[in-house]
Amino acid sequence: PRSHSRSPTRGMRALFSLLGPGASGFGRDRKPARQEPRARPSSPRRPGSSPGSSSASFSLGGRSPSPAFARRPNRARGRDDAGRTAVSGRSSGLPVRPPSSVSMNALIPNQPLMAQSLGGAFVLDMAIQLVGWAAAATLQTEKFYDLFGSLAFASTAITSFVSSPQAPRQALITGMVCAWTARLGAFLARRVLRDGGDSRFDEVKRRPGMFLAYWLIQGAWVWVTALPCFLINGLTSQSGLHAGDYVSLALWLFGIAIETAADVQKSAFKADPANRGRFIDVGLWSVSRHPNYFGEILVWLGVCGVALSANASVGVSVAALASPAFVTLLLTKVSGIPILEKSADERWGSEAKYQEYKRNTPCLVPRLPGLGSAKAV
């Protein structure tokens, strides 16, 4: 008999039962877990049957299966029993890659793939935040903050992908997260080097306990925002790429283009000495007061759309929606727009030009030229 490791915690079991491929409503690609076929007694061949038919695949007439078709034992508990990835409703016949030393199996050993993807990403994410906080608190600097946030996004996405069956959709969604992370990380690094620091941390960076809270909040932001990626990489089987994935990718490309253009325009505006002390009202900033945030929300709607296109369980689909909902809430109600609007009102609120700009320019969703002024979100 096989020896079993200690069973997972009740909370992990409950999470896997909700999000795992065995959950209710897993979609048209759900298949019951395959069981080891039993040896059959030899029997006369049916009329018309061919010697190469599937009925002779396993131990028929006392014969052992051919070594070329013998199934390798799957030592990773909780994975698909056959160790295969279903694409477009059919088994690809390729074995799941064995866990490597950098896979989630090293962080959450002997657990179902979904639990490894979600739990391993959380553990790795928070470990990165703690290392960053320790270095930043020791040196009393905030210059590592955005760097470690980007590192957490990329590391968790890539490591969960390495642990996955690496199906096309898993590669697509991981690439989308990593591409956005690389762009944002490069932009934030240049901004910190240019400005010499971040005024948000002037007081807290000298108080290690309060400073730690900022790092932990960043860790939670990373995990929830990239949740669709971890969910898809935690699936052992899913449908092939289809129109829903390509539409979601187009939305992601549109969003990242808007976000990038808005950031470039603002950087160029601030670099011009003639604009010192002025608010930006050119380019995309003439049709939205926060076009970069609008682009970022579209990015994560696109990532979520790819996750929804997997036709996975209801639990996976609902959990994936948490990402764009969280990003939208964070940017519009918590740390993004409210803080910047308050700062802008304090600096330019008494200027008639700014009052007109604020009255005629939507806060978030761009106003198309020619439509006139409108109160927009």
PDB file of all heavy atoms in Angstrom, residues 142-147 188 191-192 197-206 210-211 214 217-218 221 293 330-331 335-336 339-340:
ATOM      1  N   GLU A 142      12.397  53.874   0.723  1.00  0.00           N
ATOM      2  CA  GLU A 142      11.209  53.342   0.078  1.00  0.00           C
ATOM      3  C   GLU A 142      11.489  52.962  -1.380  1.00  0.00           C
ATOM      4  O   GLU A 142      10.579  52.551  -2.111  1.00  0.00           O
ATOM      5  CB  GLU A 142      10.075  54.366   0.115  1.00  0.00           C
ATOM      6  CG  GLU A 142      10.232  55.560  -0.806  1.00  0.00           C
ATOM      7  CD  GLU A 142      11.204  56.618  -0.295  1.00  0.00           C
ATOM      8  OE1 GLU A 142      11.881  56.375   0.740  1.00  0.00           O
ATOM      9  OE2 GLU A 142      11.296  57.676  -0.924  1.00  0.00           O
ATOM     10  N   LYS A 143      12.739  53.054  -1.800  1.00  0.00           N
ATOM     11  CA  LYS A 143      13.075  52.829  -3.199  1.00  0.00           C
ATOM     12  C   LYS A 143      12.894  51.375  -3.624  1.00  0.00           C
ATOM     13  O   LYS A 143      12.836  51.095  -4.817  1.00  0.00           O
ATOM     14  CB  LYS A 143      14.505  53.285  -3.470  1.00  0.00           C
ATOM     15  CG  LYS A 143      14.683  54.792  -3.345  1.00  0.00           C
ATOM     16  CD  LYS A 143      16.095  55.226  -3.688  1.00  0.00           C
ATOM     17  CE  LYS A 143      16.238  56.740  -3.590  1.00  0.00           C
ATOM     18  NZ  LYS A 143      17.617  57.192  -3.951  1.00  0.00           N
ATOM     19  N   PHE A 144      12.827  50.458  -2.654  1.00  0.00           N
ATOM     20  CA  PHE A 144      12.636  49.049  -2.986  1.00  0.00           C
ATOM     21  C   PHE A 144      11.163  48.673  -3.140  1.00  0.00           C
ATOM     22  O   PHE A 144      10.858  47.580  -3.607  1.00  0.00           O
ATOM     23  CB  PHE A 144      13.250  48.147  -1.899  1.00  0.00           C
ATOM     24  CG  PHE A 144      14.723  48.360  -1.682  1.00  0.00           C
ATOM     25  CD1 PHE A 144      15.275  48.170  -0.431  1.00  0.00           C
ATOM     26  CD2 PHE A 144      15.547  48.759  -2.717  1.00  0.00           C
ATOM     27  CE1 PHE A 144      16.627  48.362  -0.216  1.00  0.00           C
ATOM     28  CE2 PHE A 144      16.904  48.953  -2.519  1.00  0.00           C
ATOM     29  CZ  PHE A 144      17.443  48.756  -1.265  1.00  0.00           C
ATOM     30  N   TYR A 145      10.271  49.553  -2.725  1.00  0.00           N
ATOM     31  CA  TYR A 145       8.859  49.178  -2.601  1.00  0.00           C
ATOM     32  C   TYR A 145       8.261  48.737  -3.942  1.00  0.00           C
ATOM     33  O   TYR A 145       7.752  47.617  -4.075  1.00  0.00           O
ATOM     34  CB  TYR A 145       8.070  50.360  -2.024  1.00  0.00           C
ATOM     35  CG  TYR A 145       6.648  50.038  -1.640  1.00  0.00           C
ATOM     36  CD1 TYR A 145       6.372  49.335  -0.465  1.00  0.00           C
ATOM     37  CD2 TYR A 145       5.585  50.441  -2.439  1.00  0.00           C
ATOM     38  CE1 TYR A 145       5.069  49.046  -0.099  1.00  0.00           C
ATOM     39  CE2 TYR A 145       4.282  50.155  -2.078  1.00  0.00           C
ATOM     40  CZ  TYR A 145       4.026  49.459  -0.909  1.00  0.00           C
ATOM     41  OH  TYR A 145       2.728  49.161  -0.556  1.00  0.00           O
ATOM     42  N   ASP A 146       8.303  49.604  -4.935  1.00  0.00           N
ATOM     43  CA  ASP A 146       7.725  49.267  -6.237  1.00  0.00           C
ATOM     44  C   ASP A 146       8.489  48.154  -6.926  1.00  0.00           C
ATOM     45  O   ASP A 146       7.907  47.332  -7.645  1.00  0.00           O
ATOM     46  CB  ASP A 146       7.689  50.507  -7.128  1.00  0.00           C
ATOM     47  CG  ASP A 146       6.720  51.561  -6.614  1.00  0.00           C
ATOM     48  OD1 ASP A 146       5.670  51.175  -6.069  1.00  0.00           O
ATOM     49  OD2 ASP A 146       7.009  52.760  -6.757  1.00  0.00           O
ATOM     50  N   LEU A 147       9.809  48.102  -6.704  1.00  0.00           N
ATOM     51  CA  LEU A 147      10.618  47.049  -7.304  1.00  0.00           C
ATOM     52  C   LEU A 147      10.185  45.670  -6.811  1.00  0.00           C
ATOM     53  O   LEU A 147      10.006  44.737  -7.611  1.00  0.00           O
ATOM     54  CB  LEU A 147      12.096  47.273  -6.979  1.00  0.00           C
ATOM     55  CG  LEU A 147      13.056  46.153  -7.394  1.00  0.00           C
ATOM     56  CD1 LEU A 147      13.063  45.994  -8.903  1.00  0.00           C
ATOM     57  CD2 LEU A 147      14.467  46.439  -6.870  1.00  0.00           C
ATOM     58  N   LEU A 188       7.888  52.689 -12.930  1.00  0.00           N
ATOM     59  CA  LEU A 188       8.000  53.108 -11.534  1.00  0.00           C
ATOM     60  C   LEU A 188       9.460  53.257 -11.106  1.00  0.00           C
ATOM     61  O   LEU A 188       9.792  54.153 -10.323  1.00  0.00           O
ATOM     62  CB  LEU A 188       7.292  52.091 -10.636  1.00  0.00           C
ATOM     63  CG  LEU A 188       5.770  52.008 -10.805  1.00  0.00           C
ATOM     64  CD1 LEU A 188       5.194  50.914  -9.919  1.00  0.00           C
ATOM     65  CD2 LEU A 188       5.104  53.340 -10.491  1.00  0.00           C
ATOM     66  N   ARG A 191      10.676  56.518 -12.352  1.00  0.00           N
ATOM     67  CA  ARG A 191      10.079  57.630 -11.601  1.00  0.00           C
ATOM     68  C   ARG A 191      10.770  57.829 -10.259  1.00  0.00           C
ATOM     69  O   ARG A 191      11.039  58.966  -9.840  1.00  0.00           O
ATOM     70  CB  ARG A 191       8.582  57.376 -11.386  1.00  0.00           C
ATOM     71  CG  ARG A 191       7.850  58.553 -10.783  1.00  0.00           C
ATOM     72  CD  ARG A 191       6.379  58.267 -10.624  1.00  0.00           C
ATOM     73  NE  ARG A 191       6.132  57.278  -9.582  1.00  0.00           N
ATOM     74  CZ  ARG A 191       4.914  56.890  -9.196  1.00  0.00           C
ATOM     75  NH1 ARG A 191       3.847  57.391  -9.809  1.00  0.00           N
ATOM     76  NH2 ARG A 191       4.757  55.988  -8.250  1.00  0.00           N
ATOM     77  N   VAL A 192      11.070  56.717  -9.573  1.00  0.00           N
ATOM     78  CA  VAL A 192      11.744  56.827  -8.280  1.00  0.00           C
ATOM     79  C   VAL A 192      13.136  57.413  -8.446  1.00  0.00           C
ATOM     80  O   VAL A 192      13.581  58.264  -7.670  1.00  0.00           O
ATOM     81  CB  VAL A 192      11.801  55.447  -7.596  1.00  0.00           C
ATOM     82  CG1 VAL A 192      12.729  55.482  -6.393  1.00  0.00           C
ATOM     83  CG2 VAL A 192      10.402  55.006  -7.158  1.00  0.00           C
ATOM     84  N   GLY A 197      12.572  59.654  -4.621  1.00  0.00           N
ATOM     85  CA  GLY A 197      11.841  59.033  -3.521  1.00  0.00           C
ATOM     86  C   GLY A 197      10.349  59.155  -3.724  1.00  0.00           C
ATOM     87  O   GLY A 197       9.876  59.602  -4.775  1.00  0.00           O
ATOM     88  N   ASP A 198       9.597  58.741  -2.711  1.00  0.00           N
ATOM     89  CA  ASP A 198       8.139  58.785  -2.748  1.00  0.00           C
ATOM     90  C   ASP A 198       7.664  59.414  -1.447  1.00  0.00           C
ATOM     91  O   ASP A 198       7.908  58.886  -0.353  1.00  0.00           O
ATOM     92  CB  ASP A 198       7.583  57.363  -2.888  1.00  0.00           C
ATOM     93  CG  ASP A 198       6.105  57.356  -3.223  1.00  0.00           C
ATOM     94  OD1 ASP A 198       5.393  58.284  -2.795  1.00  0.00           O
ATOM     95  OD2 ASP A 198       5.649  56.414  -3.891  1.00  0.00           O
ATOM     96  N   SER A 199       6.985  60.534  -1.576  1.00  0.00           N
ATOM     97  CA  SER A 199       6.580  61.298  -0.383  1.00  0.00           C
ATOM     98  C   SER A 199       5.604  60.527   0.501  1.00  0.00           C
ATOM     99  O   SER A 199       5.434  60.871   1.677  1.00  0.00           O
ATOM    100  CB  SER A 199       5.954  62.626  -0.808  1.00  0.00           C
ATOM    101  OG  SER A 199       4.827  62.414  -1.648  1.00  0.00           O
ATOM    102  N   ARG A 200       4.956  59.487  -0.029  1.00  0.00           N
ATOM    103  CA  ARG A 200       4.016  58.714   0.792  1.00  0.00           C
ATOM    104  C   ARG A 200       4.702  58.055   1.976  1.00  0.00           C
ATOM    105  O   ARG A 200       4.067  57.750   2.987  1.00  0.00           O
ATOM    106  CB  ARG A 200       3.344  57.631  -0.062  1.00  0.00           C
ATOM    107  CG  ARG A 200       2.449  58.126  -1.168  1.00  0.00           C
ATOM    108  CD  ARG A 200       1.935  56.963  -1.977  1.00  0.00           C
ATOM    109  NE  ARG A 200       3.019  56.201  -2.611  1.00  0.00           N
ATOM    110  CZ  ARG A 200       2.853  55.022  -3.217  1.00  0.00           C
ATOM    111  NH1 ARG A 200       1.650  54.471  -3.263  1.00  0.00           N
ATOM    112  NH2 ARG A 200       3.886  54.416  -3.775  1.00  0.00           N
ATOM    113  N   PHE A 201       6.010  57.821   1.867  1.00  0.00           N
ATOM    114  CA  PHE A 201       6.720  57.042   2.879  1.00  0.00           C
ATOM    115  C   PHE A 201       7.642  57.896   3.746  1.00  0.00           C
ATOM    116  O   PHE A 201       8.470  57.350   4.484  1.00  0.00           O
ATOM    117  CB  PHE A 201       7.544  55.943   2.197  1.00  0.00           C
ATOM    118  CG  PHE A 201       6.733  54.990   1.370  1.00  0.00           C
ATOM    119  CD1 PHE A 201       6.598  55.175   0.008  1.00  0.00           C
ATOM    120  CD2 PHE A 201       6.093  53.910   1.955  1.00  0.00           C
ATOM    121  CE1 PHE A 201       5.851  54.303  -0.765  1.00  0.00           C
ATOM    122  CE2 PHE A 201       5.344  53.028   1.201  1.00  0.00           C
ATOM    123  CZ  PHE A 201       5.224  53.229  -0.164  1.00  0.00           C
ATOM    124  N   ASP A 202       7.521  59.217   3.660  1.00  0.00           N
ATOM    125  CA  ASP A 202       8.436  60.078   4.404  1.00  0.00           C
ATOM    126  C   ASP A 202       8.419  59.803   5.904  1.00  0.00           C
ATOM    127  O   ASP A 202       9.460  59.827   6.567  1.00  0.00           O
ATOM    128  CB  ASP A 202       8.101  61.548   4.139  1.00  0.00           C
ATOM    129  CG  ASP A 202       8.485  61.967   2.728  1.00  0.00           C
ATOM    130  OD1 ASP A 202       9.261  61.238   2.090  1.00  0.00           O
ATOM    131  OD2 ASP A 202       8.001  63.025   2.263  1.00  0.00           O
ATOM    132  N   GLU A 203       7.250  59.518   6.459  1.00  0.00           N
ATOM    133  CA  GLU A 203       7.130  59.285   7.901  1.00  0.00           C
ATOM    134  C   GLU A 203       7.215  57.804   8.253  1.00  0.00           C
ATOM    135  O   GLU A 203       7.914  57.420   9.189  1.00  0.00           O
ATOM    136  CB  GLU A 203       5.808  59.869   8.410  1.00  0.00           C
ATOM    137  CG  GLU A 203       5.693  61.374   8.258  1.00  0.00           C
ATOM    138  CD  GLU A 203       6.730  62.127   9.082  1.00  0.00           C
ATOM    139  OE1 GLU A 203       7.125  61.606  10.156  1.00  0.00           O
ATOM    140  OE2 GLU A 203       7.156  63.215   8.668  1.00  0.00           O
ATOM    141  N   VAL A 204       6.518  56.949   7.502  1.00  0.00           N
ATOM    142  CA  VAL A 204       6.401  55.539   7.893  1.00  0.00           C
ATOM    143  C   VAL A 204       7.695  54.759   7.724  1.00  0.00           C
ATOM    144  O   VAL A 204       7.907  53.751   8.407  1.00  0.00           O
ATOM    145  CB  VAL A 204       5.277  54.841   7.098  1.00  0.00           C
ATOM    146  CG1 VAL A 204       3.940  55.493   7.395  1.00  0.00           C
ATOM    147  CG2 VAL A 204       5.563  54.869   5.606  1.00  0.00           C
ATOM    148  N   LYS A 205       8.582  55.192   6.830  1.00  0.00           N
ATOM    149  CA  LYS A 205       9.800  54.411   6.612  1.00  0.00           C
ATOM    150  C   LYS A 205      10.732  54.437   7.821  1.00  0.00           C
ATOM    151  O   LYS A 205      11.672  53.633   7.890  1.00  0.00           O
ATOM    152  CB  LYS A 205      10.537  54.903   5.363  1.00  0.00           C
ATOM    153  CG  LYS A 205      11.078  56.318   5.452  1.00  0.00           C
ATOM    154  CD  LYS A 205      11.685  56.724   4.114  1.00  0.00           C
ATOM    155  CE  LYS A 205      12.223  58.145   4.134  1.00  0.00           C
ATOM    156  NZ  LYS A 205      12.758  58.556   2.807  1.00  0.00           N
ATOM    157  N   ARG A 206      10.481  55.309   8.755  1.00  0.00           N
ATOM    158  CA  ARG A 206      11.265  55.352   9.992  1.00  0.00           C
ATOM    159  C   ARG A 206      10.565  54.623  11.137  1.00  0.00           C
ATOM    160  O   ARG A 206      11.056  54.616  12.255  1.00  0.00           O
ATOM    161  CB  ARG A 206      11.545  56.804  10.385  1.00  0.00           C
ATOM    162  CG  ARG A 206      12.405  57.547   9.363  1.00  0.00           C
ATOM    163  CD  ARG A 206      12.630  59.004   9.760  1.00  0.00           C
ATOM    164  NE  ARG A 206      13.505  59.684   8.821  1.00  0.00           N
ATOM    165  CZ  ARG A 206      13.120  60.229   7.674  1.00  0.00           C
ATOM    166  NH1 ARG A 206      11.830  60.186   7.350  1.00  0.00           N
ATOM    167  NH2 ARG A 206      13.975  60.815   6.881  1.00  0.00           N
ATOM    168  N   MET A 210       4.804  50.196  11.258  1.00  0.00           N
ATOM    169  CA  MET A 210       3.886  50.806  10.308  1.00  0.00           C
ATOM    170  C   MET A 210       4.338  50.565   8.877  1.00  0.00           C
ATOM    171  O   MET A 210       3.515  50.332   7.976  1.00  0.00           O
ATOM    172  CB  MET A 210       3.781  52.315  10.578  1.00  0.00           C
ATOM    173  CG  MET A 210       2.793  53.036   9.680  1.00  0.00           C
ATOM    174  SD  MET A 210       1.087  52.478   9.908  1.00  0.00           S
ATOM    175  CE  MET A 210       0.774  53.100  11.570  1.00  0.00           C
ATOM    176  N   PHE A 211       5.648  50.589   8.668  1.00  0.00           N
ATOM    177  CA  PHE A 211       6.204  50.334   7.349  1.00  0.00           C
ATOM    178  C   PHE A 211       5.867  48.912   6.883  1.00  0.00           C
ATOM    179  O   PHE A 211       5.568  48.691   5.708  1.00  0.00           O
ATOM    180  CB  PHE A 211       7.721  50.533   7.398  1.00  0.00           C
ATOM    181  CG  PHE A 211       8.344  50.816   6.058  1.00  0.00           C
ATOM    182  CD1 PHE A 211       7.589  51.261   4.976  1.00  0.00           C
ATOM    183  CD2 PHE A 211       9.709  50.645   5.875  1.00  0.00           C
ATOM    184  CE1 PHE A 211       8.184  51.529   3.746  1.00  0.00           C
ATOM    185  CE2 PHE A 211      10.306  50.894   4.651  1.00  0.00           C
ATOM    186  CZ  PHE A 211       9.542  51.343   3.586  1.00  0.00           C
ATOM    187  N   TYR A 214       2.461  48.571   5.206  1.00  0.00           N
ATOM    188  CA  TYR A 214       2.429  48.974   3.800  1.00  0.00           C
ATOM    189  C   TYR A 214       2.877  47.828   2.894  1.00  0.00           C
ATOM    190  O   TYR A 214       2.302  47.609   1.822  1.00  0.00           O
ATOM    191  CB  TYR A 214       3.333  50.188   3.589  1.00  0.00           C
ATOM    192  CG  TYR A 214       2.685  51.510   3.933  1.00  0.00           C
ATOM    193  CD1 TYR A 214       2.428  51.867   5.255  1.00  0.00           C
ATOM    194  CD2 TYR A 214       2.339  52.430   2.945  1.00  0.00           C
ATOM    195  CE1 TYR A 214       1.842  53.082   5.575  1.00  0.00           C
ATOM    196  CE2 TYR A 214       1.749  53.652   3.249  1.00  0.00           C
ATOM    197  CZ  TYR A 214       1.502  53.965   4.579  1.00  0.00           C
ATOM    198  OH  TYR A 214       0.917  55.163   4.888  1.00  0.00           O
ATOM    199  N   ILE A 217       0.167  45.139   2.756  1.00  0.00           N
ATOM    200  CA  ILE A 217      -0.934  45.593   1.904  1.00  0.00           C
ATOM    201  C   ILE A 217      -0.559  45.417   0.436  1.00  0.00           C
ATOM    202  O   ILE A 217      -1.381  45.002  -0.391  1.00  0.00           O
ATOM    203  CB  ILE A 217      -1.296  47.058   2.215  1.00  0.00           C
ATOM    204  CG1 ILE A 217      -1.938  47.158   3.613  1.00  0.00           C
ATOM    205  CG2 ILE A 217      -2.225  47.627   1.156  1.00  0.00           C
ATOM    206  CD1 ILE A 217      -2.179  48.583   4.077  1.00  0.00           C
ATOM    207  N   GLN A 218       0.690  45.714   0.101  1.00  0.00           N
ATOM    208  CA  GLN A 218       1.142  45.504  -1.273  1.00  0.00           C
ATOM    209  C   GLN A 218       1.070  44.025  -1.639  1.00  0.00           C
ATOM    210  O   GLN A 218       0.678  43.667  -2.757  1.00  0.00           O
ATOM    211  CB  GLN A 218       2.581  46.011  -1.461  1.00  0.00           C
ATOM    212  CG  GLN A 218       3.123  45.719  -2.850  1.00  0.00           C
ATOM    213  CD  GLN A 218       4.437  46.402  -3.134  1.00  0.00           C
ATOM    214  OE1 GLN A 218       4.485  47.374  -3.891  1.00  0.00           O
ATOM    215  NE2 GLN A 218       5.524  45.915  -2.548  1.00  0.00           N
ATOM    216  N   TRP A 221      -2.449  43.190  -2.429  1.00  0.00           N
ATOM    217  CA  TRP A 221      -2.785  43.763  -3.738  1.00  0.00           C
ATOM    218  C   TRP A 221      -2.266  42.875  -4.866  1.00  0.00           C
ATOM    219  O   TRP A 221      -2.991  42.600  -5.830  1.00  0.00           O
ATOM    220  CB  TRP A 221      -2.191  45.163  -3.838  1.00  0.00           C
ATOM    221  CG  TRP A 221      -2.194  45.747  -5.221  1.00  0.00           C
ATOM    222  CD1 TRP A 221      -3.279  46.060  -5.979  1.00  0.00           C
ATOM    223  CD2 TRP A 221      -1.045  46.078  -6.010  1.00  0.00           C
ATOM    224  NE1 TRP A 221      -2.877  46.579  -7.201  1.00  0.00           N
ATOM    225  CE2 TRP A 221      -1.514  46.604  -7.240  1.00  0.00           C
ATOM    226  CE3 TRP A 221       0.328  46.015  -5.789  1.00  0.00           C
ATOM    227  CZ2 TRP A 221      -0.648  47.032  -8.242  1.00  0.00           C
ATOM    228  CZ3 TRP A 221       1.193  46.446  -6.791  1.00  0.00           C
ATOM    229  CH2 TRP A 221       0.702  46.938  -7.998  1.00  0.00           C
ATOM    230  N   TYR A 293      -5.368  55.242 -15.094  1.00  0.00           N
ATOM    231  CA  TYR A 293      -6.150  54.314 -14.275  1.00  0.00           C
ATOM    232  C   TYR A 293      -7.228  53.623 -15.109  1.00  0.00           C
ATOM    233  O   TYR A 293      -7.527  52.443 -14.892  1.00  0.00           O
ATOM    234  CB  TYR A 293      -6.787  55.056 -13.098  1.00  0.00           C
ATOM    235  CG  TYR A 293      -5.793  55.494 -12.041  1.00  0.00           C
ATOM    236  CD1 TYR A 293      -6.096  56.508 -11.144  1.00  0.00           C
ATOM    237  CD2 TYR A 293      -4.551  54.886 -11.940  1.00  0.00           C
ATOM    238  CE1 TYR A 293      -5.191  56.913 -10.172  1.00  0.00           C
ATOM    239  CE2 TYR A 293      -3.638  55.280 -10.964  1.00  0.00           C
ATOM    240  CZ  TYR A 293      -3.960  56.296 -10.092  1.00  0.00           C
ATOM    241  OH  TYR A 293      -3.063  56.681  -9.130  1.00  0.00           O
ATOM    242  N   LEU A 330     -10.055  49.873  -5.659  1.00  0.00           N
ATOM    243  CA  LEU A 330      -8.838  50.457  -5.104  1.00  0.00           C
ATOM    244  C   LEU A 330      -8.506  51.788  -5.775  1.00  0.00           C
ATOM    245  O   LEU A 330      -8.163  52.777  -5.098  1.00  0.00           O
ATOM    246  CB  LEU A 330      -7.679  49.471  -5.285  1.00  0.00           C
ATOM    247  CG  LEU A 330      -6.370  49.797  -4.561  1.00  0.00           C
ATOM    248  CD1 LEU A 330      -6.566  49.694  -3.059  1.00  0.00           C
ATOM    249  CD2 LEU A 330      -5.263  48.859  -5.028  1.00  0.00           C
ATOM    250  N   LEU A 331      -8.624  51.840  -7.089  1.00  0.00           N
ATOM    251  CA  LEU A 331      -8.232  53.047  -7.818  1.00  0.00           C
ATOM    252  C   LEU A 331      -9.257  54.165  -7.724  1.00  0.00           C
ATOM    253  O   LEU A 331      -8.887  55.343  -7.727  1.00  0.00           O
ATOM    254  CB  LEU A 331      -8.000  52.711  -9.299  1.00  0.00           C
ATOM    255  CG  LEU A 331      -6.815  51.787  -9.602  1.00  0.00           C
ATOM    256  CD1 LEU A 331      -6.709  51.524 -11.094  1.00  0.00           C
ATOM    257  CD2 LEU A 331      -5.507  52.361  -9.071  1.00  0.00           C
ATOM    258  N   SER A 335      -7.018  54.375  -2.868  1.00  0.00           N
ATOM    259  CA  SER A 335      -5.673  54.947  -2.907  1.00  0.00           C
ATOM    260  C   SER A 335      -5.327  55.702  -4.179  1.00  0.00           C
ATOM    261  O   SER A 335      -4.283  56.342  -4.245  1.00  0.00           O
ATOM    262  CB  SER A 335      -4.637  53.824  -2.730  1.00  0.00           C
ATOM    263  OG  SER A 335      -4.659  52.941  -3.840  1.00  0.00           O
ATOM    264  N   GLY A 336      -6.153  55.633  -5.198  1.00  0.00           N
ATOM    265  CA  GLY A 336      -5.795  56.264  -6.455  1.00  0.00           C
ATOM    266  C   GLY A 336      -6.426  57.618  -6.655  1.00  0.00           C
ATOM    267  O   GLY A 336      -5.882  58.659  -6.273  1.00  0.00           O
ATOM    268  N   ILE A 339      -7.051  60.331  -3.586  1.00  0.00           N
ATOM    269  CA  ILE A 339      -5.861  61.024  -3.090  1.00  0.00           C
ATOM    270  C   ILE A 339      -5.396  62.072  -4.089  1.00  0.00           C
ATOM    271  O   ILE A 339      -5.065  63.211  -3.727  1.00  0.00           O
ATOM    272  CB  ILE A 339      -4.746  60.008  -2.795  1.00  0.00           C
ATOM    273  CG1 ILE A 339      -5.160  59.101  -1.631  1.00  0.00           C
ATOM    274  CG2 ILE A 339      -3.432  60.718  -2.482  1.00  0.00           C
ATOM    275  CD1 ILE A 339      -4.155  58.013  -1.321  1.00  0.00           C
ATOM    276  N   LEU A 340      -5.368  61.711  -5.386  1.00  0.00           N
ATOM    277  CA  LEU A 340      -4.899  62.648  -6.400  1.00  0.00           C
ATOM    278  C   LEU A 340      -5.874  63.810  -6.594  1.00  0.00           C
ATOM    279  O   LEU A 340      -5.444  64.953  -6.822  1.00  0.00           O
ATOM    280  CB  LEU A 340      -4.695  61.906  -7.719  1.00  0.00           C
ATOM    281  CG  LEU A 340      -3.564  60.867  -7.731  1.00  0.00           C
ATOM    282  CD1 LEU A 340      -3.492  60.158  -9.071  1.00  0.00           C
ATOM    283  CD2 LEU A 340      -2.222  61.515  -7.409  1.00  0.00           C
TER     284      LEU A 340
END
